[in-house]
Amino acid sequence: SQQGEEDPQALSIQEGENATMNCSYKTSINNLQWYRQNSGRGLVHLILIRSNEREKHSGRLRVTLDTSKKSSSLLITASRAADTASYFCATDSGAGSYQLTFGKGTKLSVIP
Amino acid sequence: DAGVIQSPRHEVTEMGQEVTLRCKPISGHNSLFWYRQTMMRGLELLIYFNNNVPIDDSGMPEDRFSAKMPNASFSTLKIQPSEPRDSAVYFCASSFPGRSSGNTIYFGEGSWLTVV
């Protein structure tokens, strides 16, 4: 069963705008990760946030984690056409597990 | 660093034929994963190896699917006999779980399988 579920399924914005994607999960985690997939390519790791962290930044990316609500958000600021891709959250199942379960992703389109 | 290498990138085969997908993980990584991606079901974990040993194969759909990892630098996923519903993108991924890296996974570019 899916652990992470992204919302929205699809998002279309103008270049320069911010894009926010959300992820909800069901069980306790050690950490949560966000990945990006360009069309026809493999997934690429973007950022990892641990369960004891609430916010993390990497360049134009900002990730928040609310373990009480079992949710996370990914914010991409000042979006560019090159940010067009699908974005997935991935969670482990805690307790030392190294397996990741992925959501179905948010398809982001940034219009030049 | 070459990254995770998968072959073939694309394969079209007839129903009933055997399909073998190959993967070379990143050197030094001790965990290897096979995922399947479809529009309907998203990314599904098929099987996970740690130090060449299968740890969890609960995601393997049925007996037609088998995976091996004879050594640290090579793994195969075999489908025999193949069926049209097996059409999907199959990803191999590897990782070296640790305190600093967590369990960040590095994906190959995928093998696009079409069974007609």
Side-chain angles (χ1 to χ4, degrees), chain B residues 11 13-20 64 79-83 86 115:
Chain B
E11 175 144 352
T13 190
E14 290 186 347
M15 183 174 62
Q17 296 297 307
E18 177 178 293
V19 174
T20 299
R64 296 185 298 106
I79 309 172
Q80 166 64 18
S82 59
E83 297 181 2
D86 301 331
V115 183

Side-chain angles (χ1 to χ4, degrees), chain A residues 33 35 41 50 100 104, chain B residues 35 40 99 103 105 109:
Chain A
Q33 303 181 48
Y35 286 76
R41 306 295 297 273
R50 300 187 189 281
L100 293 183
K104 289 195 174 181
Chain B
Y35 284 88
M40 289 294 293
R99 287 178 59 85
N103 51 345
I105 290 180
E109 294 288 62

Side-chain angles (χ1 to χ4, degrees), chain A:
Chain A
S1 62
Q2 298 296 125
Q3 164 73 312
E5 294 288 342
E6 292 89 346
D7 167 58
Q9 290 186 357
L11 179 61
S12 184
I13 59 173
Q14 295 290 131
E15 199 166 32
E17 293 180 340
N18 295 342
T20 299
M21 290 158 269
N22 303 297
C23 170
S24 59
Y25 59 92
K26 297 173 184 171
T27 62
S28 296
I29 60 171
N30 288 326
N31 57 63
L32 183 143
Q33 303 181 48
W34 285 90
Y35 286 76
R36 164 192 169 131
Q37 183 181 30
N38 284 35
S39 181
R41 306 295 297 273
L43 281 76
V44 175
H45 176 257
L46 293 176
I47 194 166
L48 179 152
I49 186 165
R50 300 187 189 281
S51 59
N52 61 354
E53 297 176 312
R54 292 296 166 258
E55 187 170 314
K56 200 162 183 180
H57 297 254
S58 176
R60 293 184 297 113
L61 304 181
R62 174 180 165 244
V63 170
T64 63
L65 179 64
D66 187 335
T67 52
S68 66
K69 294 181 180 178
K70 292 187 169 58
S71 68
S72 173
S73 67
L74 171 68
L75 169 68
I76 304 174
T77 59
S79 63
R80 305 166 182 168
D83 295 329
T84 295
S86 291
Y87 292 82
F88 297 84
C89 69
T91 54
D92 59 20
S93 55
S97 170
Y98 296 135
Q99 300 176 49
L100 293 183
T101 304
F102 289 81
K104 289 195 174 181
T106 292
K107 190 168 186 176
L108 174 65
S109 299
V110 181
I111 303 165

Side-chain angles (χ1 to χ4, degrees), chain B residues 13 19 28-29 31 53 57 60 64 83 88-89 91-95 102:
Chain B
T13 190
V19 174
H29 283 190
S31 294
V53 176
D57 65 353
M60 296 286 263
R64 296 185 298 106
E83 297 181 2
V89 185
F91 287 102
C92 177
S94 68
S95 72

Side-chain angles (χ1 to χ4, degrees), chain B residues 61-82:
Chain B
E62 47 198 275
D63 291 345
R64 296 185 298 106
F65 285 69
S66 63
K68 293 182 180 179
M69 191 164 186
N71 56 62
S73 59
F74 184 66
S75 176
T76 59
L77 178 67
K78 189 171 292 187
I79 309 172
Q80 166 64 18
S82 59

